[in-house]
Amino acid sequence: MTNRLQRKTFVSPDGVKLVGDRGGPNDAPCAVLMHGGGQTRHSWNRAVERLLDAGLQVINFDARGHGDSDWSPGGDYALTDRAADLAAVTADLRVPFILIGASLGGATSIEAVHEGLRPAGVVLVDIVPAPDPRGIERIVGFMHGHQDGFASVDEAAAAVAAYNPQRERPRDTRGLMKNLRPRDDGRLYWHWDPRILETAPAIHHAAVARAADTLAALTDIPVLLVRGLSSDVVSEAGVDAFQRQMPRLEILDVLGAGHMVAGDRNDAFNDGVIAFARRLLASDALS
């Protein structure tokens, strides 16, 4: 990863340590990045580079139970826990900031605003209060699978390719190791705590739906929905319902992208998000 970033550890109120990267000028407006469930902060690598090039400060961290961050000893993975994490990550910011959250990260953003966090804007990446249950079932099914791990990184890459066949499989699979961890049995396992799946998706969705009412009422917080047009999680019905709830909602449709928008069409994603950030965080620091 770029040498413009420094590794940083944040501590949530319940003692869970969150590992992230921070870069850019300390006095520049900030973009706070939150990955989706089952991912790590490295899913944003190319986006981070573009955001730094645009003159923004960037904080990109692993959610609790993911990547290099702690697993919760008590299995505390509710959205309220994740919102408290986000409050801790942003606690020392003295500049305007926007939240950019993919899927679970977007749900965390909505919950955090409900609990009092006040960003300059919110970018929701392929997440709405009423997602398509078929897409959610497919994600959960993938995450429940392969509990016995993989014999090699190539075997893990094949599983990812089967889940997301529209994305070209990388020739070099070594980068996937950031999402895997070896255990004593010599096999590779996903780099997240299986207990994050113990709560039924419907419970999280109900929490997001309640919290979205607060976000909708805060008309001074602009919201951008980035939707992959090939997504099986965000449907037309889900977008229409969200627009009725939040008439100010801006939508960026990304052709040729599924649920993993930033990975499928990183160029279109970056252009749209940076334009949104520039408009909200107008500053001489942004080039």
Side-chain angles (χ1 to χ4, degrees), residues 34 97-101 105-106 109-110 113 119-124 215 221-225 249-250 276 280:
M34 288 160 285
F97 61 92
I98 62 171
L99 305 176
I100 304 173
S109 299
I110 296 172
V113 170
V122 176
V123 179
L124 302 174
L215 182 60
I221 300 179
V223 180
L224 172 66
L225 170 64
L249 181 69
E250 301 176 44
F276 181 75
L280 299 188

Side-chain angles (χ1 to χ4, degrees), residues 127-133 136 205 208-209 212 233-239 241-242 245:
I127 179 66
V128 293
D132 189 320
I136 297 299
H205 298 156
V208 172
V233 172
V234 174
S235 65
E236 286 292 340
V239 173
F242 200 15
Q245 181 183 23

Side-chain angles (χ1 to χ4, degrees), residues 241-262:
F242 200 15
Q243 280 189 305
R244 289 194 297 272
Q245 181 183 23
M246 190 182 301
R248 72 181 186 282
L249 181 69
E250 301 176 44
I251 298 175
L252 171 63
D253 288 331
V254 181
L255 184 67
H259 186 55
M260 309 300 185
V261 182

Side-chain angles (χ1 to χ4, degrees), residues 22-23 25-33 55-60 90 93 95-100 120 277 281 286:
R22 187 171 186 170
N26 289 334
D27 59 351
C30 188
V32 182
L33 294 161
L56 285 163
Q57 181 183 174
V58 175
I59 297 176
N60 178 24
T90 59
L93 285 176
V95 296
F97 61 92
I98 62 171
L99 305 176
I100 304 173
L281 304 175
L286 300 187

